[in-house]
Every structure is written in C-alpha cells, then in structure tokens.
C-alpha cells in the first residue's frame, strides 16, 4: 500500500512537472513570436523610420512603415511641436561645414575644372552627375544616352560629372588620375576636387557641384542633380516638366518627395543618425537624391545656406535641411510617377513618360535608351494612367 501511495505521488509529481514544462514552452514560444513580429514591423528601410504616411506616399511607398512606440505616447500636435523644436535647434546651430567652408575662395582645390563651360551661353539645363572616379564605363554610357548634348539641341545643355579623389590614388601620376586627365581632355565634362570620394562625402560632392554652378554658370535656367546608375529621360524632362517656351521659374525645387521620415537611430546601421548630431525626430520634406531638379538661382542659395548648417552625410536629407533653412518647400511634380527612386520595369510606353528610374548598369542603359529612341513616337498613344497605377499598387500589395 505504501509502495502504491509513493508510486501515485511520483506519477503526480511527474505530471505536474510535465505540465509546468509545457506551460513554459508556450510562454517562450509566444514571446519569440511577438519578438519576431515586432522585428518585422521594425524592419524599415535602413535610412529612415516612417512616422506618418500621406496618401501620395502610400501609393508608391517602397519604404516599409513603422508605428510609433506605445511606450512614448504623444499627441500629434505635441509630436509635430517636438519635431519642429528639434529642427529649429539643428538649423540654428553652426557646425563643421561653416568652419570648413566659410571665407574660402575655393572650399576644395580643383584638380580638373571646366571654368569656360558656360562662357558662350548660359545653358537651359546643367546636369550634375555624381560618379566615382573609377566608373569610366558609366560615364561613357551616359555620354551616349541621356547625357548626350543632342537631347537639347539649340537650348544649351551642360553635362558635368562631379567627383573627388579615390582613396590611395591621390598622386597625379597614378594610372587612374592619368586616365581621368585624358578623359577630361577628350570630353571636357569632368569636375574633380581634392576630397575623398566616398559615400559619407556625398554631401560635399553635391555642395561642390552647386558651388561650381553658382560661380561658373550662375545664369543657368535649371539644374538637375542625379547619379551615374540612373536612367534619365532628359528629353521628357526638358520638354514636359521644364518647358523652354515659358520663362524659367525661380526658387523652384522638385523631385520624388519624401515626407514625414525620421532619422535612423540604429547604431549598427550605415545610415545611423545620432540624437546628438540631429536632435529632431523628423526630417523636413526633401527629395530623393537619385534625381532632383531645381532652378539655377537655387544653387547659390543652397550653398550659402549650407555655410551655417552642420554637415550630415545623408546628402538628400541635408539639401532638404538647407531648403528648410531657406523656407523653400519642394514642389510636387505634376505626375507622381515622373521621378522614381526604384527600378521601374522597362517598356517604351512607360519610359517615354517618366523622368527617372534607378539601378541601371551601363550596358542596360545603352540598350534601353536605344530601344526608347526607336519607339518613343509609337510607344503608346496615351501616357500610363489609372489602369497602370492600379497594377503597380497591386504589385506592392497596397490594394
């Protein structure tokens, strides 16, 4: 009898232990599931966290969205006030850029320059193309396609590749530098200055391009800053967006508008922005650095504004901060699909009615450009409208 009682107690203890073990596993499993879900929710585009989504951004948003943490509840009014206060603090502070550039005749010495590029006539459009020194194939592809002067015959068109110095290649007798000098003598479209050409110096590169325009080509009607891996329909840009038949606009800035984005606070991210460097929890409206267009007078205004704003390595955000300092709001393009900071699947119909598409190899650029030139007049009767928009939204699972 005692043995049975002990056996019964032992079985009961085993059952209780088993139930406890199962319960712990369920709790841990639920915690792991919630943590994974939270991780997915926070898996936003590495450069930005999304604070709010407007109707336009929801239609073509390729950044993922993030909800505000519940541990820090704020009313929308308080949140906006906090963001504005932080922005005022940042814009009111003088930073490294002013110390680095102010009162210098040339912020960085020119290695290669084209001082006489705009002497004969002020161009209708200046293309500032950010490119790395060793990307000669990309430069040649652009010269053959959207950067060719024939796209704006008679209007005045200037193509400039802006670049710095590749690390370890500063010597004037290095093979890369000799190659750049020979390329410059052949095409006269390279502006090179003595700063290290790197991702973290993209802001410097862009500002130096604007500085060049303000000094050597101040009468240009319009300027476009873009990158060397872009497809740019310059003909459509000139004829449809800028329109040479009307007087040039002033204080004009447009592109793919980025609204309501906040700094990336992940310390392990390449795009980390510390609260000490940028205290506001929201960026002002800016345009994607893949391609934006502005009136010629803005080059001097933006460069001048940058002299009193601490430098940030995110070039497009920084230009947006300069615009905020100037109290100039970027203008939405007339069609929300004109500027694209992602790769748009190619068709002659779509590409005959857009301005930018991202991530092109030089060989792809030449192939698609040649096809577009052969088919642009018969590509499609009407530009892509509602049906195409619905298809794009479905592809992004927004409908």
């Amino acid at each position: 009898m005692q043995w049975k009682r002990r056996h019964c107690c032992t079985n009961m203890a085993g059952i209780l232990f088993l139930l406890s073990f199962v319960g712990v596993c369920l709790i841990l499993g639920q915690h792991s599931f919630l943590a994974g879900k939270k991780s997915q929710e926070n898996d936003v585009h590495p450069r930005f966290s999304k604070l709010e989504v407007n109707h336009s951004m929801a239609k073509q948003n390729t950044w993922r969205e993030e909800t505000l943490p519940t541990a820090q509840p704020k009313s929308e009014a308080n949140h906006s006030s906090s963001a504005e206060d932080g922005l005022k603090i940042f814009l009111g502070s003088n930073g490294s850029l002013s110390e680095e550039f102010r009162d210098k005749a040339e912020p960085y010495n020119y290695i290669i320059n084209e001082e006489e590029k705009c002497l004969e006539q002020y161009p209708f459009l200046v293309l500032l193309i950010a490119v790395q020194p060793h990307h000669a194939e990309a430069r040649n592809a652009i010269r053959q396609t959207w950067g060719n002067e024939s796209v704006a015959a008679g209007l005045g068109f200037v193509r400039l590749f802006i670049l710095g110095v590749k690390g370890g290649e500063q010597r004037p007798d290095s093979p890369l530098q000799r190659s750049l000098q020979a390329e410059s003598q052949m095409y006269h479209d390279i502006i090179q200055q003595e700063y290290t050409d790197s991702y973290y110096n993209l802001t410097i590169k862009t500002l130096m391009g604007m500085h060049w325009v303000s000094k050597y080509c101040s009468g240009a009607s319009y300027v476009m800053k873009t990158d060397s891996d872009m497809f740019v329909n310059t003909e459509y840009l000139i004829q449809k967006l800028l329109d040479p038949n009307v007087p040039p606009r002033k204080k004009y800035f447009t592109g793919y508008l980025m609204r309501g984005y906040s700094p990336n606070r992940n310390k392990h991210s390449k795009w980390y922005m510390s609260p000490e460097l940028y205290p506001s929890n929201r960026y002002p409206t800016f345009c994607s650095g893949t391609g934006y267009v502005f009136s010629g007078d803005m080059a001097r205004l933006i460069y001048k504004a940058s002299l009193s704003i601490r430098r940030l390595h995110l070039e497009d955000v920084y230009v947006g901060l300069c615009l905020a300092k100037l109290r100039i709001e970027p203008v939405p393009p007339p069609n929300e699909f004109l500027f694209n900071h992602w790769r748009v699947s190619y068709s002659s119909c779509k590409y005959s009615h857009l301005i930018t598409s991202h991530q092109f190899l030089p060989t792809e650029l030449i192939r698609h450009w040649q096809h577009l030139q052969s088919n642009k007049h018969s590509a499609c009767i009407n530009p892509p409208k509602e049906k195409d928009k619905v298809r794009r939204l479905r592809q992004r699972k927004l409908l």
Side-chain angles (χ1 to χ4, degrees):
M1 181 65 72
Q2 290 179 353
W3 178 85
K4 288 183 178 179
R5 188 179 296 114
R6 285 198 302 272
H7 182 68
C8 180
C9 292
T10 302
N11 287 342
M12 183 63 70
I15 291 171
L16 290 174
F17 174 78
L18 181 61
L19 290 173
S20 299
F21 178 77
V22 171
V24 169
C25 289
L26 288 172
I27 293 172
L28 290 175
Q30 184 179 15
H31 176 75
S32 176
F33 172 77
L34 291 175
K37 187 175 181 182
K38 182 177 180 182
S39 175
Q40 282 187 338
E41 290 174 352
N42 290 331
D43 183 22
V44 296
H45 188 276
R47 290 182 61 186
F48 309 107
S49 297
K50 195 74 172 74
L51 289 178
E52 61 181 23
V53 184
N54 58 34
H55 180 67
S56 174
M57 290 300 295
K59 283 187 176 181
Q60 52 177 334
N61 182 29
T62 57
W63 319 116
R64 298 182 186 175
E65 301 165 12
E66 177 182 315
T67 55
L68 287 172
T70 54
Q72 298 177 350
K74 287 184 179 181
S75 68
E76 186 174 346
N78 289 337
H79 175 73
S80 299
S81 176
S82 173
E84 290 174 4
D85 291 345
L87 181 60
K88 288 178 181 177
I89 292 172
F90 180 83
L91 293 178
S93 61
N94 292 332
S96 60
L97 197 64
S98 61
E99 297 167 6
E100 190 174 355
F101 288 169
R102 183 179 289 148
D103 299 329
K104 291 186 179 181
E106 297 295 349
Y108 289 96
N109 294 328
Y110 283 94
I111 302 172
I112 301 175
N113 195 5
E114 293 293 338
E115 301 178 19
E116 300 180 358
K117 199 72 174 176
C118 298
L119 283 185
E120 292 185 8
Q121 70 174 111
Y122 285 131
F124 181 75
L125 177 65
V126 175
L127 286 178
L128 295 177
I129 308 163
V131 64
Q132 295 185 40
H134 58 289
H135 286 175
E137 189 179 0
R139 292 191 291 272
N140 285 328
I142 292 169
R143 291 182 184 114
Q144 297 175 52
T145 58
W146 54 265
N148 194 286
E149 288 87 346
S150 62
V151 300
L155 286 177
F157 180 87
V158 169
R159 173 192 65 237
L160 290 173
F161 295 104
I162 50 177
L163 48 98
V165 178
K166 186 179 179 182
E169 297 284 348
Q170 289 90 344
R171 294 180 296 104
D173 61 340
S174 70
L176 176 59
Q177 197 57 43
R178 288 201 305 269
S179 175
L180 282 170
Q181 292 284 358
E183 189 179 338
S184 170
Q185 290 173 9
M186 180 176 293
Y187 297 106
H188 297 283
D189 60 2
I190 292 176
I191 303 296
Q192 185 185 29
Q193 290 176 269
E194 281 186 322
Y195 55 83
T196 301
D197 200 304
S198 67
Y199 173 80
Y200 288 95
N201 281 345
L202 275 176
T203 298
I204 291 177
K205 179 180 285 190
T206 299
L207 289 174
M208 290 305 92
M210 293 186 178
H211 180 264
W212 187 93
V213 171
S214 66
K215 181 172 182 178
Y216 297 108
C217 205
S218 58
S221 299
Y222 294 101
V223 181
M224 180 179 190
K225 180 269 165 186
T226 189
D227 296 332
S228 60
D229 62 347
M230 297 295 292
F231 185 105
V232 180
N233 190 340
T234 36
E235 188 175 15
Y236 195 74
L237 163 69
I238 291 169
Q239 299 299 331
K240 299 299 181 181
L241 179 66
L242 302 180
D243 193 355
N245 297 314
V246 300
R249 282 163 280 200
K250 298 295 183 183
K251 295 186 178 180
Y252 172 74
F253 198 102
T254 191
Y256 183 88
L257 264 59
M258 313 288 283
R259 286 197 180 103
Y261 285 90
S262 67
N264 188 317
R265 302 302 192 193
N266 178 6
K267 292 184 178 181
H268 302 291
S269 172
K270 176 182 178 181
W271 300 277
Y272 170 65
M273 187 67 68
S274 71
E276 291 76 23
L277 184 61
Y278 185 79
S280 177
N281 57 9
R282 186 184 299 178
Y283 291 129
T285 300
F286 62 97
C287 291
S288 169
T290 52
Y292 49 77
V293 178
F294 51 94
S295 53
D297 60 323
M298 290 297 298
R300 181 185 63 82
L301 293 174
I302 292 172
Y303 179 76
K304 186 175 180 181
S306 74
L307 299 179
S308 61
I309 303 175
R310 182 189 306 145
R311 187 175 68 213
L312 301 179
H313 68 283
L314 300 180
E315 165 258 332
D316 46 10
V317 169
Y318 186 81
V319 172
L321 288 163
C322 292
L323 295 177
K325 182 89 172 183
L326 295 166
R327 299 180 183 274
I328 295 174
E329 186 78 8
V331 178
N335 183 327
E336 60 184 324
F337 295 110
L338 285 181
F339 293 89
N340 303 278
H341 61 85
W342 59 85
R343 171 74 174 255
V344 178
S345 59
Y346 177 80
S347 79
S348 56
C349 180
K350 282 186 289 187
Y351 272 60
S352 62
H353 295 95
L354 58 71
I355 292 174
T356 64
S357 181
H358 196 198
Q359 296 178 335
F360 272 80
L361 296 173
T363 52
E364 292 178 312
L365 183 59
I366 293 172
R367 183 172 68 252
H368 290 317
W369 179 266
Q370 290 175 346
H371 184 270
L372 179 62
Q373 298 311 299
S374 301
N375 295 275
K376 62 183 178 182
H377 297 300
S378 59
C380 51
I381 298 174
N382 296 311
K385 290 188 178 179
E386 201 61 37
K387 184 178 178 181
D388 195 40
K389 291 181 183 179
V390 170
R391 182 184 59 77
R392 295 188 199 189
L393 293 174
R394 281 176 178 162
Q395 285 179 346
R396 294 180 176 82
K397 298 181 180 180
L398 294 175
L399 285 182

